[in-house]
Amino acid sequence: MSDLFRVFNTSASALTAQSVRLNTVASNLANASTAATTPEATYKSKQVLFQAVMDQEDPNGVAIPVRVSGIVDSTAEPIPTYEPNHPLANDDGYVFRPAISVVEEMANMMSASRSYEANIEVMNTSRELLTRTLQVGQN
């Protein structure tokens, strides 16, 4: 029975982690076309780092919760674009845009969304199993 509760814990932690990932992707997509005057002021895309957390009380590894260990900025260089009429253009007529691939971010969003859905399904199945176990105990 306690293994089912551990599955809930693992799925809940994965849901939380995927939610952070979805929010990060949304932020990247929202800032994909922003412009800045300097490379240093340009938005840098963010990536979520996940970490599996080993449970000391669970030597069989039945449930390994997931957590976000950090969010890191991309090291990709901003893309200089010649736009002399842009209000943020520097003295040379360039604005700097983040090096964000909308296609990659959309793929990342779909992956996070599918992971989120899969963990919801795990939680629903576990709840169903727990309910059936309780019903068997009542009969």
Side-chain angles (χ1 to χ4, degrees), residues 41-100:
T42 306
Y43 175 84
K44 299 209 181 307
S45 69
K46 317 267 185 254
Q47 298 299 319
V48 178
L49 300 177
F50 296 113
Q51 179 180 19
V53 181
M54 301 298 286
D55 187 350
Q56 302 301 335
E57 299 172 13
D58 188 9
N60 298 325
V62 172
I64 301 174
V66 178
R67 74 172 182 191
V68 173
S69 65
I71 298 175
V72 295
D73 288 343
S74 170
T75 58
E77 291 294 320
I79 301 167
T81 309
Y82 185 69
E83 298 179 43
N85 295 328
H86 194 285
L88 294 176
N90 63 15
D91 293 339
D92 297 327
Y94 285 92
V95 293
F96 295 88
R97 302 208 182 263
I100 296 175

Side-chain angles (χ1 to χ4, degrees), residues 17-131:
Q18 292 305 327
S19 179
V20 170
R21 183 177 172 200
L22 283 167
N23 286 334
T24 303
V25 169
S27 179
N28 288 343
L29 287 170
N31 288 290
S33 62
T34 59
T37 306
T38 64
E40 297 77 29
T42 306
Y43 175 84
K44 299 209 181 307
S45 69
K46 317 267 185 254
Q47 298 299 319
V48 178
L49 300 177
F50 296 113
Q51 179 180 19
V53 181
M54 301 298 286
D55 187 350
Q56 302 301 335
E57 299 172 13
D58 188 9
N60 298 325
V62 172
I64 301 174
V66 178
R67 74 172 182 191
V68 173
S69 65
I71 298 175
V72 295
D73 288 343
S74 170
T75 58
E77 291 294 320
I79 301 167
T81 309
Y82 185 69
E83 298 179 43
N85 295 328
H86 194 285
L88 294 176
N90 63 15
D91 293 339
D92 297 327
Y94 285 92
V95 293
F96 295 88
R97 302 208 182 263
I100 296 175
S101 167
V102 174
V103 173
E104 284 180 27
E105 292 298 328
M106 291 300 292
N108 199 5
M109 182 186 300
M110 289 180 1
S111 173
S113 179
R114 298 256 193 274
S115 294
Y116 193 90
E117 290 170 2
N119 280 291
I120 293 273
E121 191 61 35
V122 167
M123 289 185 86
N124 286 337
T125 302
S126 298
R127 181 179 50 93
E128 217 174 283
L129 287 170
L130 192 56
T131 302

